[in-house]
Amino acid sequence: MYDDPTTPVVVTRIEEMTEMRVPSGRLVVDVPWDDDDTYRYARGVPTRPPRELAVRIPPGVYRVEIAWTAGPYEFFGERFDGVECAATRLCVSDDPVAGWEMGVGVVDDVDGLRPGEVPRFGADANAGCFADAGAWTTLCAPFRTRVDGRWEPRDRGRLPDGCERISDESRQADLVTFTAQSGGVVWLGRTATGDVATIVVTSGMTGAKA
């Protein structure tokens, strides 16, 4: 949306979207469904593994927040002012962030990246998610279930910006979707002692830093 890198983008407010449970301490940051795997969903055959972060966090309940931004954009040759989600974050603690690094996935081949490439996940449907890795199969199933050629309706909690929360009460675990235009880069904010304080995904701004 904000395609002019010289135009400042202003964070207008931070909104708490929901809380989510991560009892395993292992976090998936990926798409809840993958368009490339649609035919596998329909046939009930195995799909690619989720993009689980290599870093671990303490098992617990965490806030999920949206950073809203305001700025001009162009649509069919006309200029407008708009507000949209620029980033979504999982707040692991309220301690101040002393430094940032990219969040690498367990299956990421960092050595195989070409110059200028960064580890990221793709999102054809412009949606990503945070999810407890231990309950991933159950949590992502509502997005991937087809019966008689139709997607099954899912029992979901509606959240701001068209996001939703899926819960697995047997494991006390959650999945929360967020806006991720064309995919996202994951950033880890670490405290002065090296602990992870926040996990951020920039939305639609592939070159942005947290």
Side-chain angles (χ1 to χ4, degrees):
M1 181 175 176
Y2 306 112
D3 51 6
D4 183 353
T6 66
T7 301
V9 177
V10 179
V11 174
T12 56
R13 64 189 173 97
I14 304 294
E15 178 180 5
E16 182 175 338
M17 181 165 60
T18 188
E19 290 185 334
M20 67 170 289
R21 299 165 294 181
V22 188
S24 72
R26 298 162 46 215
L27 189 70
V28 168
V29 186
D30 203 347
V31 291
W33 73 92
D34 189 335
D35 287 352
D36 291 340
D37 272 347
T38 298
Y39 76 97
R40 294 187 178 93
Y41 303 154
R43 290 164 176 76
V45 299
T47 59
R48 68 171 179 82
R51 188 173 187 269
E52 179 183 340
L53 296 186
V55 70
R56 299 290 183 261
I57 60 177
V61 180
Y62 300 111
R63 297 192 317 276
V64 181
E65 298 179 337
I66 298 176
W68 294 101
T69 66
Y73 67 98
E74 184 174 323
F75 184 70
F76 284 102
E78 294 188 56
R79 301 292 293 183
F80 301 90
D81 288 325
V83 176
E84 70 171 15
C85 169
T88 308
R89 69 183 177 187
L90 183 78
C91 301
V92 180
S93 79
D94 293 323
D95 295 336
V97 171
W100 294 93
E101 66 185 60
M102 287 186 181
V104 178
V106 171
V107 297
D108 285 343
D109 179 13
V110 178
D111 293 335
L113 293 175
R114 293 175 294 186
E117 282 188 327
V118 296
R120 57 180 293 120
F121 64 89
D124 292 337
N126 295 335
C129 71
F130 294 125
D132 179 80
W136 173 253
T137 301
T138 301
L139 292 170
C140 71
F143 298 94
R144 304 177 174 204
T145 303
R146 297 186 74 178
V147 176
D148 296 330
R150 292 188 173 186
W151 295 108
E152 282 286 276
R154 53 185 179 267
D155 183 13
R156 54 188 172 176
R158 295 185 181 276
L159 303 171
D161 200 34
C163 301
E164 51 191 292
R165 179 181 55 237
I166 303 293
S167 298
D168 178 353
E169 295 303 336
S170 67
R171 292 175 180 261
Q172 296 289 291
D174 300 307
L175 175 154
V176 174
T177 66
F178 53 76
T179 299
Q181 296 177 20
S182 301
V185 177
V186 182
W187 294 91
L188 306 180
R190 291 189 181 271
T191 67
T193 59
D195 296 324
V196 175
T198 187
I199 299 171
V200 177
V201 179
T202 54
S203 178
M205 301 179 182
T206 56
K209 292 186 178 180

